[in-house]
Amino acid sequence: MVEAAAEPGTGLTLVQMPDAEPAVHQLIMAAIHAKARIASDRLCIKMPKVEGMVTVVSGNERAKQVVEQVQRAFVQRKKGGVQHRHHYIASSRQINWLSEEGLAHMSPLLTSFQGWVVIKQSFATALSAQAAHVLVKMDAMARAADTRVMFFVSGLSDHESLSSYCRDLWTIALCDAEEGTQCVFTVDCAGLSALGALRTSQRMVRISTGASGLEVRTEQFLALKLHIRLMAKLVAAGATMTEIAKAYGCDKSTVSRSLKSVPLWTGDTRKTSKDVLLKQLAALSPKALNEEKLAVEFDL
């Protein structure tokens, strides 16, 4: 069993998300929300037990409606989960949380709420000295109030330095998604590993939607690329390098190099047979993808 990283402490937790469509961001946020609300360690992050979560949303009435639609479509209420609500700030524009104005709006929540205060913002620039100062102040305010801020950020060109301005840093990386899955991502708790947590705590999260709403499942992280994950599962299922290379249309040396840094898959090999895995891998081969592309371009 994979050991979970230590739970995030009071203060600021930055969640660095990749540049992606807003819908992908909403799915990732909803998945993290779901885990935090039930204090689950399935992400291999021990979520603290808190009295609730409040997501702060700024903007016009349309922004409020979008958030409510996502809430209804994706977020399921879990028995025993903590309360989750939205705090709306009416504004003609979205508030910049990395400004003194944003900090002024956050201050009353941080001093009156014991739980997760969640905010989100996308950027297209580097982190300025003023913005870094605001992050440090936000972290200090949250620690002083014995509460937690979860700040989803994306688009910062120098995100490597973010760990200097927060209590914990989680980095989200998108993985290739299987058919029927809306989004697949991995959470790398680099900030927590610096405190002694194992880097093996990295997990892969699958998001799909069903009749009951958002479905979130986790499994061992193998690789960002789907074809490499299939190769690793095939090895666990007893396939030879020759069989894998033939299915993907490559040399055995290519398979060997692809699997060099991939851990041995420890999942249940009975769920998907070797033959099914080989067919899935063959469909991802460069030859198959090129043929599919030609068929679309020429309407074959």
Side-chain angles (χ1 to χ4, degrees), residues 172-249:
I172 304 292
L174 290 177
C175 307
D176 290 346
E178 295 89 341
E179 185 178 354
T181 304
Q182 274 67 39
C183 179
V184 181
F185 66 93
T186 182
V187 184
D188 185 5
C189 303
L192 293 176
S193 66
L195 300 177
L198 299 176
R199 290 305 290 262
T200 53
S201 61
Q202 193 172 5
R203 299 287 284 176
M204 189 171 69
V205 185
R206 301 173 183 274
I207 305 175
S208 57
T209 52
S212 58
L214 183 71
E215 296 178 358
V216 183
R217 298 180 180 178
T218 64
E219 69 174 46
Q220 175 189 354
F221 172 73
L222 296 173
L224 298 178
K225 296 295 185 181
L226 177 56
H227 72 276
I228 296 179
R229 299 203 300 267
L230 288 173
M231 287 179 180
K233 291 181 179 182
L234 278 163
V235 170
T240 65
M241 291 290 182
T242 300
E243 290 176 308
I244 296 172
K246 182 179 179 180
Y248 194 65

Side-chain angles (χ1 to χ4, degrees), residues 8-14 110-111 113-115 117 135-149 162-169 191 195:
T10 58
L12 174 62
T13 295
L14 284 173
L110 295 181
T111 55
F113 183 75
Q114 294 289 311
V117 177
L135 286 177
V136 173
K137 289 178 67 174
M138 189 182 298
D139 181 43
M141 289 171 59
R143 294 193 195 205
D146 196 29
T147 191
R148 295 166 169 83
V149 177
L162 288 177
S163 60
S164 303
Y165 311 113
C166 60
R167 176 66 177 266
D168 298 309
L169 175 64
L195 300 177

Side-chain angles (χ1 to χ4, degrees), residues 282-295:
L284 293 174
S285 69
K287 180 181 178 181
L289 292 177
N290 286 334
E291 289 176 349
E292 181 180 352
K293 181 179 179 182
L294 287 173

